Amino acid sequence: MAEPLFTLKNLTKTYKSGEVETPVLRGIDLSVEKGEFIALMGPSGSGKSTLMHILGFLDRITDGVYLFNGKDVQKMTDDELAGERSREVGFVFQAFNLLAKSTVIENVMLPMMYAKIPPAEREERAMEALRSVGIDHRAHYLSNTISGGEKQRVAIARALVNKPSVIFADEPTGNLDTKSGEAVLGIFQDLHEKFGTTIVMVTHELEAAEFADRIVRIRDGKIESDSRDHVKRTGGYYK
């Protein structure tokens, strides 16, 4: 049987400030298989974004077990974590995080520079990623001249360009109108269904979560429910 992509056992995270301790995650048990599309839901302060940051190697756990592809993440050095993050993970954020005065294709090529991809490959792979999200016709536009929905497509292309094992999307539709948001969610669904991309999406919007195959609800740092029993949406419609 194939190794799960993520395995979490009794995972905890506590932040410390002087003598004050603030527990955020309180014993998370979770297994995510390769190719799943999961929505993490919960109210503000529930711990869902902290969990995503831990899964994406942006933060460390306080206690428990975190295995990525069977490897114990706690035993990795900071440099090893940075390497895993560069090779294995793509991020899509609510605020897009594009370089305003760089072109669309320059923004998409940026992760390849950090990953030391040869320059000759960068433009070809960037255009391939832009085509996969339907925004290649904007390749040479400055990123501050395109719409919000187009910016999020560029952000998805940037997340895809290093061919990561998983894409983390943190409130990816939060700054978009309904039509643009549904288009972006449709792109995630296509990546998942056509290419088997693993997607972990943090959202507080049920309409967005319903595009995923599995909805994990977090409250007060614990998993409240973990279900595939929902009516799934696709392209703005239910199926």
Side-chain angles (χ1 to χ4, degrees), residues 114-146:
Y114 295 123
K116 299 180 181 178
I117 303 297
E121 290 184 35
R122 292 176 194 165
E123 185 167 352
E124 181 180 347
R125 282 175 57 170
M127 285 302 298
E128 179 185 351
L130 289 167
R131 279 193 292 272
S132 73
V133 298
I135 197 70
D136 51 305
H137 61 294
R138 295 282 197 248
H140 299 290
Y141 282 61
L142 291 176
S143 63
N144 62 357
T145 65
I146 60 178

Coordinates of all heavy atoms in Angstrom, one line a residue, residues 114-146:
Y114 N 14.9 30.0 -7.4 CA 15.3 29.5 -6.1 C 15.6 28.0 -6.1 O 16.4 27.4 -5.3 CB 14.2 29.7 -5.1 CG 14.0 31.2 -4.8 CD1 12.7 31.8 -5.0 CD2 15.0 32.0 -4.3 CE1 12.5 33.1 -4.8 CE2 14.8 33.4 -4.1 CZ 13.5 33.9 -4.3 OH 13.4 35.3 -4.1
A115 N 14.9 27.2 -7.0 CA 15.1 25.8 -7.1 C 16.3 25.5 -8.0 O 16.5 24.3 -8.3 CB 13.8 25.1 -7.6
K116 N 17.0 26.5 -8.6 CA 18.1 26.3 -9.4 C 17.8 25.6 -10.7 O 18.6 24.7 -11.1 CB 19.3 25.7 -8.6 CG 19.7 26.5 -7.4 CD 20.8 25.9 -6.6 CE 21.2 26.7 -5.4 NZ 22.3 26.1 -4.6
I117 N 16.7 25.8 -11.3 CA 16.3 25.3 -12.6 C 17.1 26.0 -13.6 O 17.2 27.3 -13.6 CB 14.8 25.4 -12.9 CG1 14.0 24.8 -11.8 CG2 14.5 24.8 -14.2 CD1 14.2 23.3 -11.6
P118 N 17.8 25.3 -14.6 CA 18.6 26.0 -15.6 C 17.7 27.1 -16.3 O 16.6 26.9 -16.6 CB 19.0 24.9 -16.6 CG 18.9 23.7 -15.7 CD 17.8 23.9 -14.7
P119 N 18.3 28.3 -16.6 CA 17.6 29.4 -17.2 C 16.9 29.0 -18.5 O 15.8 29.5 -18.8 CB 18.7 30.4 -17.5 CG 19.7 30.1 -16.5 CD 19.7 28.7 -16.3
A120 N 17.5 28.1 -19.3 CA 16.9 27.7 -20.6 C 15.5 27.0 -20.4 O 14.7 27.0 -21.3 CB 17.8 26.7 -21.3
E121 N 15.3 26.4 -19.3 CA 14.1 25.7 -19.0 C 13.0 26.6 -18.5 O 11.8 26.2 -18.5 CB 14.3 24.5 -18.0 CG 15.1 23.3 -18.5 CD 15.2 22.2 -17.5 OE1 14.2 22.1 -16.7 OE2 16.2 21.6 -17.4
R122 N 13.4 27.7 -17.8 CA 12.4 28.4 -17.0 C 11.3 29.0 -17.8 O 10.1 28.8 -17.5 CB 13.2 29.6 -16.3 CG 14.1 29.1 -15.3 CD 14.9 30.3 -14.7 NE 16.0 29.8 -13.9 CZ 17.0 30.6 -13.5 NH1 17.0 31.9 -13.8 NH2 18.0 30.1 -12.8
E123 N 11.5 29.6 -19.0 CA 10.5 30.2 -19.8 C 9.5 29.2 -20.3 O 8.3 29.3 -20.3 CB 11.0 31.1 -20.9 CG 9.9 31.8 -21.6 CD 10.5 32.9 -22.5 OE1 11.7 33.2 -22.5 OE2 9.7 33.5 -23.3
E124 N 10.1 28.0 -20.8 CA 9.2 27.0 -21.3 C 8.3 26.4 -20.3 O 7.1 26.2 -20.5 CB 10.1 25.9 -21.9 CG 9.4 24.7 -22.5 CD 10.3 23.6 -23.0 OE1 11.5 23.9 -23.1 OE2 9.8 22.5 -23.3
R125 N 8.8 26.2 -19.1 CA 8.0 25.6 -18.0 C 7.0 26.6 -17.5 O 5.9 26.3 -17.1 CB 8.9 25.1 -16.9 CG 9.5 23.7 -17.2 CD 10.5 23.2 -16.2 NE 10.0 23.1 -14.8 CZ 10.6 22.5 -13.8 NH1 11.8 22.0 -14.0 NH2 10.1 22.4 -12.6
A126 N 7.4 27.9 -17.5 CA 6.5 28.9 -17.0 C 5.3 29.1 -18.0 O 4.1 29.2 -17.6 CB 7.2 30.3 -16.9
M127 N 5.6 29.0 -19.3 CA 4.5 29.1 -20.3 C 3.6 27.9 -20.2 O 2.3 28.0 -20.3 CB 5.1 29.2 -21.7 CG 5.6 30.6 -22.0 SD 4.4 32.0 -21.8 CE 3.2 31.5 -23.0
E128 N 4.2 26.7 -19.9 CA 3.3 25.5 -19.8 C 2.4 25.7 -18.6 O 1.2 25.3 -18.6 CB 4.3 24.3 -19.5 CG 3.5 23.0 -19.3 CD 4.5 21.8 -19.0 OE1 5.7 22.0 -19.1 OE2 4.0 20.8 -18.6
A129 N 2.9 26.2 -17.5 CA 2.1 26.4 -16.3 C 1.0 27.4 -16.5 O -0.2 27.3 -16.1 CB 3.0 26.8 -15.1
L130 N 1.3 28.5 -17.2 CA 0.4 29.5 -17.6 C -0.7 29.0 -18.5 O -1.9 29.3 -18.3 CB 1.0 30.8 -18.2 CG 1.9 31.6 -17.3 CD1 2.8 32.6 -18.1 CD2 1.0 32.4 -16.3
R131 N -0.4 28.2 -19.4 CA -1.4 27.6 -20.3 C -2.3 26.7 -19.5 O -3.5 26.6 -19.8 CB -0.7 26.7 -21.4 CG -0.2 27.6 -22.6 CD 0.2 26.7 -23.8 NE 1.4 25.9 -23.5 CZ 2.7 26.3 -23.7 NH1 2.9 27.5 -24.2 NH2 3.7 25.5 -23.4
S132 N -1.8 26.0 -18.5 CA -2.6 25.0 -17.7 C -3.7 25.7 -17.0 O -4.7 25.1 -16.6 CB -1.7 24.2 -16.8 OG -1.3 25.0 -15.7
V133 N -3.5 27.0 -16.7 CA -4.6 27.8 -16.0 C -5.2 28.8 -16.9 O -6.0 29.7 -16.4 CB -4.0 28.4 -14.7 CG1 -3.5 27.3 -13.7 CG2 -2.9 29.4 -15.0
G134 N -5.0 28.8 -18.2 CA -5.6 29.6 -19.1 C -5.3 31.1 -19.1 O -6.1 32.0 -19.4
I135 N -4.0 31.4 -18.8 CA -3.6 32.8 -18.6 C -2.4 33.1 -19.4 O -1.7 34.1 -19.3 CB -3.5 33.2 -17.1 CG1 -3.5 34.7 -16.9 CG2 -2.2 32.5 -16.5 CD1 -4.8 35.3 -17.1
D136 N -2.0 32.2 -20.3 CA -0.8 32.4 -21.1 C -0.8 33.6 -22.0 O 0.2 34.2 -22.3 CB -0.4 31.1 -22.0 CG -1.6 30.7 -22.8 OD1 -2.7 30.5 -22.2 OD2 -1.5 30.6 -24.0
H137 N -2.0 34.1 -22.4 CA -2.1 35.3 -23.2 C -1.8 36.5 -22.5 O -1.6 37.6 -23.1 CB -3.6 35.4 -23.8 CG -4.6 35.5 -22.7 ND1 -4.9 34.5 -21.8 CD2 -5.5 36.6 -22.4 CE1 -5.9 34.9 -21.0 NE2 -6.2 36.2 -21.3
R138 N -1.6 36.5 -21.2 CA -1.2 37.6 -20.4 C 0.3 37.5 -20.0 O 0.7 38.3 -19.1 CB -2.0 37.7 -19.1 CG -3.5 38.0 -19.4 CD -3.7 39.5 -19.7 NE -5.1 39.8 -19.6 CZ -5.9 40.2 -20.6 NH1 -5.4 40.1 -21.9 NH2 -7.2 40.5 -20.5
A139 N 1.0 36.6 -20.6 CA 2.4 36.3 -20.1 C 3.3 37.5 -20.0 O 4.1 37.6 -19.0 CB 3.1 35.3 -21.0
H140 N 3.2 38.5 -20.9 CA 4.1 39.6 -20.9 C 3.5 40.9 -20.4 O 4.0 42.0 -20.5 CB 4.7 39.8 -22.2 CG 5.5 38.6 -22.7 ND1 6.7 38.2 -22.1 CD2 5.2 37.6 -23.6 CE1 7.1 37.1 -22.6 NE2 6.3 36.7 -23.5
Y141 N 2.3 40.8 -19.8 CA 1.7 42.0 -19.1 C 2.3 42.1 -17.7 O 2.7 41.2 -17.1 CB 0.2 41.7 -18.9 CG -0.7 41.9 -20.1 CD1 -0.5 41.1 -21.3 CD2 -1.7 42.8 -20.1 CE1 -1.3 41.3 -22.4 CE2 -2.5 43.0 -21.2 CZ -2.3 42.2 -22.3 OH -3.1 42.4 -23.4
L142 N 2.4 43.4 -17.2 CA 2.8 43.6 -15.9 C 1.7 43.1 -14.9 O 0.5 43.2 -15.2 CB 3.0 45.1 -15.6 CG 4.3 45.7 -16.3 CD1 4.3 47.2 -16.0 CD2 5.5 45.1 -15.8
S143 N 2.1 42.5 -13.8 CA 1.1 41.8 -13.0 C 0.1 42.8 -12.3 O -1.0 42.4 -11.9 CB 1.8 40.9 -11.9 OG 2.5 41.7 -11.1
N144 N 0.5 44.1 -12.3 CA -0.4 45.1 -11.7 C -1.4 45.6 -12.7 O -2.2 46.5 -12.3 CB 0.4 46.2 -11.0 CG 1.2 47.0 -11.9 OD1 1.3 46.7 -13.1 ND2 1.9 48.0 -11.5
T145 N -1.4 45.1 -13.9 CA -2.4 45.6 -14.9 C -3.4 44.6 -15.2 O -4.3 44.8 -16.1 CB -1.6 45.9 -16.2 OG1 -1.0 44.7 -16.8 CG2 -0.5 47.0 -15.9
I146 N -3.5 43.4 -14.5 CA -4.5 42.4 -14.8 C -5.5 42.3 -13.6 O -5.2 42.9 -12.5 CB -3.8 41.0 -15.0 CG1 -3.0 40.6 -13.8 CG2 -2.9 41.1 -16.3 CD1 -2.4 39.2 -14.0

